[in-house]
Amino acid sequence: MSQQQNGIAVDISQIYEEVSDWHVNAGEKKVVAKRMDGRYRRLKWFGMSVWLVFFLGPYLRWNGQQAVLFDIPNRQFNFFNLTIYPQDIWMLSLTLLFFAILLAAVTSIAGRVFCGYFCFQTVWTDVYTYIETRIEGDTPQKAKKFKDRPADFHKVSRITLKHTLWLAIALLTGLSFSAWFTDAYQLWRDYFTLQASLVAWIVLAMFTVGTYIFAGFMREQVCFWLCPYARLQGVMYDQDTVLPAYDAERGEPRGKLKRGQVDDSKGSCIDCKVCVAVCPTGVDIRKGQQEGCITCGMCIDACDSIMDKTNQPRGLIRYASYKELHHNGKSLPLFKRPRVIIYGLILLMALGGVVYGYTTLSPTEFKVTHNRQPLFVRLSDGAIQNRYMLKMLNKTKQPIQVRYTVSGIDGAELHDMAEPIEIRPGHVVPIQALVRVPESQLTETALPLFFEAEVIGQPALNSRDKTVFMGPQ
């Protein structure tokens, strides 16, 4: 297939065959990405700033306590006034499902934007390389010149400064992670006084070493070889997915071009390779979509700046779908794409479940279990007795006093449970309850019975549970 471009016949199939010859950098060369300002770089800084929550969140206080705390020893998750216990784990599962499907949905629409703007590996690597380029040089040539320099005081001091900053960030990362699982201020004191637990030291060491190695040395190789999402992304794309792409029909044949010069025999690409120089994974976007592309848009900023300098329209490299570039078509609207529709329905169901769970979350949880061995006991006075296990969970921050009563069957009474029972915050107090009913009141083998848990002084926390009372046939 060929097209007419600037009066010259261009073989499109040959162009795509040439530009699709790419390979994966397996670490044989160090990627030193050039930094350029632009709309996607600013968007990347904004996406990276979301991680400030990771560092600052544990220090937010609420009613004198840590606002967000994953309290594993006490098996509870504190989120401001809300406390979630293992009994409510289904809400956390739905929350994780929501974000997992959201990631898949966004990928099917606009590629690996999570990798490009929000992924912790991308963010930490970007910060580490920013420090490195400010100290050792922001281009491969400057970096090589610094590397080949004799080991004098200037070089050693700069290398020491770089690794000191890297280690400081790695240490802060490990400490911040630990702070989500215990009181953040106390954790600092424990570390500085060497009183922290063994688990805290292990977590700090793992995150420090992991961050230092992954962000400082492995960098894009983590995305290539360790990240499962990088392997799965391909199955989430389709011909309507919008990705950073090089318009080969407009750009080829490429060739050098001076400012103000016009050459109708060449395409818009002047082969400056700035798009390659700014790529954090060393990808040449002109060779087509490939595994290393994290759709960060840095190549778009670079190419747009060159188009401005050569007085050409922007968009030689742009976010575009396969249909747009190869078939001159338009992508389907989101509401017509089956994959997006399915993802959207799952998102709505998960979100609905989460909202329902959080809005109906009770500060107490009351469960009654009938003891089946035996089903009932006939007492000496002819009354029928059943045994039950009562469990009341206190999800509040204060102890509560609970008094139990029964209803639903005339003459039913609880044996020896007149006194209230105290339940501490976050605890369950199991109680064996004996219910006695005169046999004359038993009209059926199984009758509904209701247990009432009255919280003294706090009627809003009262609970009720239904069970059955078993009698002889």
Side-chain angles (χ1 to χ4, degrees), residues 118-277:
F118 301 102
C119 174
F120 49 87
Q121 173 64 21
T122 300
V123 172
W124 266 250
T125 298
D126 197 81
V127 173
Y128 271 48
T129 54
Y130 175 78
I131 294 172
E132 182 177 69
T133 55
R134 297 291 293 180
I135 293 176
E136 299 182 359
D138 59 356
T139 64
Q141 294 77 15
K142 292 181 180 179
K144 185 177 185 304
K145 182 178 179 181
F146 180 85
K147 181 180 179 181
D148 296 339
R149 179 176 179 152
D152 53 11
F153 176 79
H154 179 269
K155 180 177 180 179
V156 173
S157 62
R158 283 182 169 269
I159 292 177
T160 302
L161 175 61
K162 179 186 77 171
H163 288 282
T164 300
L165 293 174
W166 281 7
L167 284 171
I169 294 173
L171 281 167
L172 183 60
T173 300
L175 198 148
S176 298
F177 179 83
S178 299
W180 289 93
F181 298 89
T182 186
D183 185 86
Y185 295 99
Q186 183 62 44
L187 181 65
W188 278 91
R189 287 190 289 269
D190 290 343
Y191 276 129
F192 278 108
T193 59
L194 304 181
Q195 299 298 315
S197 66
L198 178 61
V199 173
W201 286 113
I202 292 175
V203 171
L204 180 63
M206 289 177 57
F207 271 82
T208 300
V209 174
T211 303
Y212 180 70
I213 293 176
F214 288 165
F217 298 95
M218 294 190 67
R219 300 183 182 178
E220 76 283 347
Q221 297 304 308
V222 174
C223 304
F224 285 142
W225 312 114
L226 299 183
C227 178
Y229 179 54
R231 300 288 183 176
L232 293 174
Q233 53 144 349
V235 300
M236 302 178 188
Y237 292 173
D238 56 32
Q239 293 190 6
D240 295 296
T241 302
V242 178
L243 304 166
Y246 168 67
D247 190 343
E249 295 183 18
R250 174 186 161 187
E252 302 296 324
R254 61 183 82 149
K256 300 296 183 182
L257 186 68
K258 296 181 179 179
R259 183 190 295 268
Q261 187 182 54
V262 178
D263 188 346
D264 293 336
S265 65
K266 297 178 180 178
S268 295
C269 179
I270 64 172
D271 204 22
C272 62
K273 295 184 173 61
V274 179
C275 58
V276 183

Side-chain angles (χ1 to χ4, degrees), residues 280-328:
T281 60
V283 166
D284 187 346
I285 194 65
R286 299 173 301 172
K287 294 183 178 181
Q289 183 59 219
Q290 46 201 285
E291 183 186 8
C293 179
I294 57 175
T295 67
C296 62
M298 299 298 101
C299 54
I300 301 178
D301 286 338
C303 189
D304 284 348
S305 69
I306 299 301
M307 292 298 101
D308 292 342
K309 293 178 181 178
T310 57
N311 298 321
Q312 298 186 78
R314 291 186 170 192
L316 177 59
I317 300 178
R318 62 185 185 274
Y319 269 98
S321 67
Y322 183 89
K323 281 184 178 179
E324 179 184 346
L325 287 177
H326 295 258
H327 303 290
N328 296 320

